[in-house]
Amino acid sequence: MYDETREADKPEFTVEPLEEMLKRNRFLVEVPVVENPDFKAAVHQMVTPEKLLPQEPVREEPEVAPMENNKNLTRKPRGYTGFLHIRCEHCGKTKTFCAKHQLSYYGCKECGKKTDLKDLKQAFINCECGGTARYFTNETAELIELNCINCGMPVALKYNAKKKLYETIRS
């Protein structure tokens, strides 16, 4: 069936057996094959691998200890980015800020000494206003308080030893 509509408001379709419709068309299957020797040679040259020069035999490398046993190959974290809540290990003052670049230490503005940022714990804030945030912190206390980034209200967090992170205390 095919469409022979000449006017938009008067659709006209013709129904015809497939065998009769195929008789009117010429297909490439019926065209005789003509080989081109230049083309055939070019294709043969493309698919034939070039003869490679003899190479030295492959020597087996000595077995290397697995990475988990080799402490020299472990990758050290480069630093922390994002929201950080850091307590100076020298004077005890805290600072909460957002780091745009990776930090491996925190320079305290109060005492001027450095606090290395390593093995920081995550702290997840879920405020009553609907605001959520994730911080990294070096706090060691069981309970801490951080301000919501949306409304500024303090949110109480408790350390979950099983998960090794701080969570919002639900009321």
Side-chain angles (χ1 to χ4, degrees):
M1 182 158 100
Y2 54 93
D3 187 5
E4 288 187 352
T5 304
R6 295 192 191 343
E7 298 175 26
D9 58 339
K10 297 180 184 176
E12 186 177 321
F13 295 94
T14 302
V15 178
E16 179 179 7
L18 182 62
E19 291 82 20
E20 290 181 27
M21 199 163 91
L22 292 175
K23 288 178 187 176
R24 292 193 309 270
N25 297 312
R26 182 173 177 211
F27 297 95
L28 292 178
V29 176
E30 298 172 7
V31 176
V33 176
V34 178
E35 288 193 24
N36 182 343
D38 296 331
F39 179 73
K40 190 174 185 179
V43 170
H44 181 68
Q45 186 180 11
M46 284 189 273
V47 296
T48 305
E50 295 178 20
K51 292 189 177 185
L52 300 175
L53 297 173
Q55 297 178 348
E56 293 181 24
V58 178
R59 295 183 186 136
E60 290 190 26
E61 295 293 324
E63 199 169 307
V64 178
M67 283 189 66
E68 58 205 22
N69 293 340
N70 193 344
K71 294 179 182 176
N72 296 334
L73 297 178
T74 57
R75 178 180 261 179
K76 295 179 183 176
R78 293 184 181 173
Y80 293 92
T81 59
F83 293 111
L84 301 174
H85 177 76
I86 306 300
R87 178 177 297 280
C88 177
E89 61 188 22
H90 303 285
C91 68
K93 298 285 184 178
T94 60
K95 176 79 172 177
T96 304
F97 59 99
C98 182
K100 294 182 182 177
H101 304 286
Q102 290 186 341
L103 298 179
S104 59
Y105 67 90
Y106 165 69
C108 181
K109 303 281 188 217
E110 300 292 324
C111 67
K113 295 185 179 177
K114 293 182 182 178
T115 299
D116 288 331
L117 302 180
K118 57 185 176 198
D119 302 326
L120 299 185
K121 299 172 199 80
Q122 292 188 18
F124 292 95
I125 294 179
N126 294 311
C127 185
E128 292 177 2
C129 75
T132 61
R134 181 190 73 169
Y135 286 81
F136 286 105
T137 184
N138 65 344
E139 289 281 1
T140 56
E142 187 174 334
L143 296 173
I144 62 172
E145 203 172 77
L146 294 174
N147 293 336
C148 174
I149 58 173
N150 285 348
C151 66
M153 294 298 294
V155 178
L157 303 171
K158 183 176 182 178
Y159 185 68
N160 184 332
K162 288 182 182 178
K163 295 180 182 178
K164 297 182 182 176
L165 54 82
Y166 284 94
E167 295 178 314
T168 304
I169 298 173
R170 305 279 179 206
S171 53

